[in-house]
């Protein structure tokens, strides 16, 4: 599998994604070789990634924490997320997923689900996550609000507005309106605040990639001035800029209305 090892501030371009089952297995096993250190120090974190808002939030955190990491592209349009070796890392067959060779007890650990990954990295580094319980609850509730609300609703908007073979006005209106309501919640929350939970945190990182797609979600950012101000502030951060740019070229040439692509992304049932 093609990969990219990054250092904070790196402007190098990621290699185009390539994947086979053998390479997935090799990438996973590389985290379990003797010890957690390579010849030049600790091994980098392995990030299984595709340029989606859920993937971007993890890149932001890795960049903000200055953690060395290697990008393992998982081309979801080609069904690489269903590779049996990837299933061992991400049982839900979704990106992002992460392997930390330097996990608890200096043993490798694999993690799936973006919210869980953000919390793990925050605990590991002690950054962008309060140490006191009240502060953590404040961050957690907005993090889970994104994971359970903004992300799924925006995803449904993207599907029914842009990808569905059949135009269903009710479905589009249902999810556009619900997302509009959530935008209103964010806008009110940001009155008098620079960030969603007070100080900059993993909750902000979780939201920015989704809110950045406001146009294709049928929203008017001008109706939400406090949210607009927050989004502009977030996009000035170098880590956010790098995350939003990472892998965007990989999407070129992917026809989301191709029946084969849609069968991979939208036609899956239990296996």
């Amino acid at each position: 599998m093609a990969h990219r090892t990054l250092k904070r501030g790196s402007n190098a371009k990621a290699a185009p994604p390539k994947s086979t089952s053998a390479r997935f297995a090799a990438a996973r096993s590389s985290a379990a070789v003797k010890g957690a250190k390579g010849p030049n120090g600790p091994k980098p974190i392995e990030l299984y990634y595709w340029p989606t808002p859920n993937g971007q939030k993890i890149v932001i955190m890795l960049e903000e924490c200055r953690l060395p990491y290697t990008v393992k592209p998982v081309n979801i349009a080609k069904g690489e997320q269903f590779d049996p070796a990837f299933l061992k890392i991400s049982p839900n067959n979704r990106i992002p997923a992460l392997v930390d060779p330097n996990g608890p007890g200096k043993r490798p650990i694999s993690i799936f689900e973006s919210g869980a990954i953000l919390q793990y990295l925050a605990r590991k580094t002690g950054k962008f996550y309060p140490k006191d319980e009240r502060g953590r609850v404040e961050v957690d509730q907005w993090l889970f609000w994104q994971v359970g609300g903004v992300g799924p609703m925006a995803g449904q908007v993207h599907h029914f507005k842009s990808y569905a073979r059949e135009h269903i006005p009710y479905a589009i209106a249902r999810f556009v309106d619900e997302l509009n309501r959530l935008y209103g919640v964010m806008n009110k929350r940001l009155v008098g605040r620079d960030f969603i939970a007070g100080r900059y945190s993993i909750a902000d990182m979780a939201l920015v990639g989704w809110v950045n797609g406001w146009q294709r979600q049928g929203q008017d950012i001008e109706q939400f001035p406090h949210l607009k101000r927050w989004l502009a502030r977030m996009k000035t951060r170098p880590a956010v800029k790098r995350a939003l740019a990472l892998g965007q070229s990989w999407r070129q040439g992917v026809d989301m209305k191709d029946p084969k692509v849609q069968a991979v992304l939208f036609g899956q049932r239990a296996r």
Side-chain angles (χ1 to χ4, degrees):
M1 175 181 293
H3 61 85
R4 174 194 186 195
T5 301
L6 297 100
K7 294 181 180 179
R8 185 176 181 271
S10 171
N11 292 317
K13 292 184 178 180
K18 298 178 182 178
S19 175
T20 65
S21 180
R23 285 175 181 166
F24 265 123
R28 178 168 171 77
S29 64
S30 68
V33 297
K34 294 180 181 179
K37 291 187 178 181
N40 299 315
K43 292 182 179 180
I45 286 170
E46 298 174 350
L47 174 63
Y48 292 80
Y49 172 85
W50 195 247
T52 70
N54 282 336
Q56 289 163 351
K57 65 179 75 165
I58 309 305
V59 177
I60 295 172
M61 182 61 169
L62 291 168
E63 290 278 351
E64 293 282 17
C65 293
R66 307 186 183 191
L67 290 169
Y69 63 100
T70 300
V71 173
K72 308 286 187 178
V74 181
N75 190 332
I76 61 176
K78 293 183 178 180
E80 292 178 358
Q81 67 273 33
F82 299 107
D83 188 288
F86 181 63
L87 178 65
K88 296 178 181 179
I89 299 169
S90 179
N92 194 37
N93 299 116
R94 295 290 185 271
I95 61 93
L98 178 148
V99 175
D100 182 3
N102 309 286
K106 297 183 179 181
R107 292 185 293 114
I109 187 171
S110 63
I111 312 164
F112 72 104
E113 285 297 317
S114 60
I117 294 172
L118 285 174
Q119 287 183 320
Y120 170 76
L121 293 174
R123 292 191 299 267
K124 176 184 177 73
T125 61
K127 296 180 178 180
F128 308 109
Y129 197 46
K131 292 180 173 58
D132 65 287
E133 184 62 17
R134 285 185 179 274
R136 285 196 171 184
V137 168
E138 191 76 353
V139 170
D140 285 347
Q141 63 187 358
W142 290 103
L143 173 63
F144 283 95
W145 180 79
Q146 182 280 308
V147 170
V150 174
M153 293 303 104
Q156 294 294 346
V157 171
H158 294 170
H159 178 82
F160 285 104
K161 279 181 64 67
S162 303
Y163 308 141
R165 298 181 190 178
E166 180 182 354
H167 183 78
I168 307 175
Y170 173 81
I172 295 172
R174 163 74 180 92
F175 293 113
V176 168
D177 288 350
E178 174 59 11
L179 190 58
N180 184 270
R181 185 189 71 81
L182 295 173
Y183 270 51
V185 172
M186 282 187 280
N187 191 63
K188 290 179 181 178
R189 173 66 181 176
L190 288 164
V191 174
R193 291 184 176 87
D194 288 339
F195 301 105
I196 199 75
R199 293 184 177 182
Y200 182 50
S201 72
I202 56 176
D204 298 285
M205 299 177 199
L207 283 161
V208 65
W210 289 105
V211 178
N212 194 48
W214 59 269
Q215 288 177 303
R216 64 189 295 234
Q217 295 162 6
Q219 306 302 323
D220 179 5
I221 199 70
E222 300 299 331
Q223 295 181 358
F224 308 102
H226 305 289
L227 181 59
K228 179 183 178 182
R229 168 179 50 81
W230 169 86
L231 180 61
R233 176 179 293 106
M234 289 291 295
K235 292 175 71 174
T236 65
R237 300 186 69 90
V240 174
K241 289 180 180 180
R242 290 192 290 271
L244 295 181
L246 179 59
Q248 288 302 316
S249 63
W250 303 347
R251 294 174 173 272
Q252 295 176 6
V254 177
D255 181 3
M256 293 295 292
K257 291 195 175 182
D258 182 329
K260 292 182 180 179
V261 173
Q262 292 212 339
V264 168
L265 292 176
F266 311 132
Q268 298 295 325
R269 293 172 61 88
R271 295 188 173 201

